[in-house]
Amino acid sequence: MKTLQFRQAIAEAMSEEMRRDESIYLMGEEVAEYNGAYKASKGMLDEFGPDRVIDTPISELGFSGIGVGSTLTGNRPIIEFMTFNFSLVGIDQIISNAAKIRQMSGGQFSCPIVFRGPTGSAGQLGATHSQALESWFANCPGLKVVVPSNPADAKGLLKSAIRDNDPVIFMESEQMYGDKGEVPEGDYTIPLGVADIRREGADVTIVSFGKIIKEADKAADELAKEGISCEIIDLRTVRPMDYDAILNSVKKTNRLVILEEAWPFGNVATEITFHVQNNAFDYLDAPIQKINTADTPAPYSPVLLAEWLPNKDDVINAVKKVLYK
């Protein structure tokens, strides 16, 4: 094992795959000369040159479309958005083209493309730069959606995403790029659609993903001091979702809390709630609790932003509610 920052794990995954397969290239704003807006492509221009690490104008619709089109001629692009908030400018290329090429060509063409970049809030960036759009993309058949929470998962999942023959939305966090963690030496992948039981427990299941799962970790540590044992499941992949991991845990603990940084209406937690009550209703000893942001655009004020975001106290309160404490 070695210790890497999240951004280094991303850069390693892309570089290793680009050495393995010359059809892979990276395209986006500031990915080349500036080494990436968050330094997640540091050194890649020097190694692979300007034909494979390509700076673009501020035109997400344009370079998303170039990426999608290039898959039809045998390429496997990685398209970086400076933030997934900006992907909305190019979302027609993702939803109407990338996600539908395989079906609309009768299986004659696949679309092996990765769209990657940060999602969710990252401090005082205002409402338009603080949106978590995982559920938007996960709602669309034909797309896979990955949201890692640590460097080791980021590297293994990104390598799998790049090798996948269908479009993958790979969502990171500006607040995680500096996070450090142990990463296996050598080549490895983590399959898409397999959750990680991050912490085993007996009293309640907490399901989460991405950077907000840290709040679940903090809550579980505090609850353990009170004798409450939490099982934490890191989804890692939102779609396809590892429903079996969730159901098996709920059948053991009989209680479920879902933590997600997203607006409360029609999100990933809503989908999990339906699936569990539909397939494990008789195992539940309490109603499912889901924890989300407030149902408003993200505020700029640091005081309001702290209230808007889910936190460990919200998790503790939800756990105690399902335990009737």
Side-chain angles (χ1 to χ4, degrees):
M1 304 288 278
K2 58 186 175 182
T3 300
L4 292 180
Q5 289 185 327
F6 195 104
R7 60 168 59 89
Q8 293 172 310
I10 294 292
E12 272 201 4
M14 293 191 293
S15 296
E16 288 176 11
E17 292 304 297
M18 288 175 69
R19 293 182 198 118
R20 185 184 62 83
D21 184 346
E22 291 188 356
S23 70
I24 299 168
Y25 68 88
L26 173 65
M27 175 184 282
E29 296 158 4
E30 298 186 347
V31 299
E33 296 288 347
Y34 193 66
N35 285 310
Y38 313 105
K39 300 299 180 277
S41 53
K42 187 175 182 179
M44 291 179 65
L45 174 63
D46 293 338
E47 178 174 356
F48 300 105
D51 289 340
R52 296 184 67 198
V53 181
I54 305 167
D55 275 332
T56 69
I58 301 174
S59 179
E60 287 80 8
L61 178 61
F63 63 77
S64 296
I66 290 170
V68 172
S70 74
T71 67
L72 304 180
T73 58
N75 294 288
R76 305 181 72 89
I78 304 166
I79 302 299
E80 178 180 310
F81 296 120
M82 195 175 293
T83 158
F84 262 96
N85 297 283
F86 303 155
S87 74
L88 299 184
V89 181
I91 199 168
D92 181 57
Q93 292 294 336
I94 301 172
I95 301 297
S96 298
N97 289 332
K100 296 175 175 62
I101 282 173
R102 182 183 289 276
Q103 184 193 45
M104 294 186 72
S105 70
Q108 296 179 81
F109 293 100
S110 59
C111 187
I113 186 170
V114 175
F115 298 97
R116 52 160 293 270
T119 183
S121 65
Q124 290 179 265
L125 297 180
T128 58
H129 288 195
S130 302
Q131 301 169 114
L133 303 171
E134 296 90 326
S135 62
W136 287 35
F137 292 109
N139 181 255
C140 180
L143 298 178
K144 297 176 182 178
V145 181
V146 181
V147 194
S149 66
N150 59 75
D153 284 358
K155 182 177 179 181
L157 290 165
L158 182 53
K159 287 170 73 73
S160 292
I162 293 168
R163 296 181 190 186
D164 200 286
N165 287 325
D166 290 306
V168 179
I169 307 296
F170 195 92
M171 309 181 93
E172 303 152 15
S173 168
E174 291 155 82
Q175 293 182 320
M176 288 199 298
Y177 284 122
D179 287 0
K180 292 182 178 180
E182 289 193 335
V183 176
E185 296 276 5
D187 183 43
Y188 73 96
T189 60
I190 297 173
L192 306 187
V194 179
D196 177 40
I197 300 177
R198 189 180 176 104
R199 178 183 186 131
E200 293 194 357
D203 296 326
V204 60
T205 298
I206 303 174
V207 175
S208 190
F209 57 90
K211 80 171 191 292
I212 202 68
I213 201 171
K214 296 176 184 179
E215 299 302 313
D217 293 333
K218 296 174 191 174
D221 287 340
E222 288 199 19
L223 289 163
K225 298 173 185 177
E226 301 179 33
I228 298 172
S229 172
C230 300
E231 180 146 297
I232 300 178
I233 295 178
D234 185 347
L235 288 179
R236 302 198 291 200
T237 306
V238 170
R239 185 160 187 178
M241 189 179 292
D242 191 350
Y243 289 115
D244 287 343
I246 300 169
L247 291 172
N248 289 337
S249 181
V250 169
K251 289 176 181 179
K252 178 176 71 172
T253 66
N254 309 116
R255 294 169 174 85
L256 176 60
V257 171
I258 310 163
L259 171 63
E260 177 187 7
E261 183 187 335
W263 295 308
F265 188 92
N267 53 32
V268 174
T270 304
E271 170 64 20
I272 295 171
T273 299
F274 169 78
H275 196 86
V276 171
Q277 67 84 26
N278 195 52
N279 293 281
F281 181 81
D282 291 339
Y283 289 90
L284 291 170
D285 287 341
I288 297 166
Q289 295 296 309
K290 68 188 193 83
I291 306 164
N292 300 118
T293 67
D295 196 13
T296 69
Y300 178 76
S301 158
V303 177
L304 293 177
L305 183 62
E307 284 295 314
W308 183 82
L309 280 168
N311 57 49
K312 70 175 176 64
D313 292 332
D314 296 327
V315 179
I316 290 170
N317 291 335
V319 166
K320 290 185 175 180
K321 187 171 183 178
V322 298
L323 289 168
Y324 302 109
K325 290 183 179 289

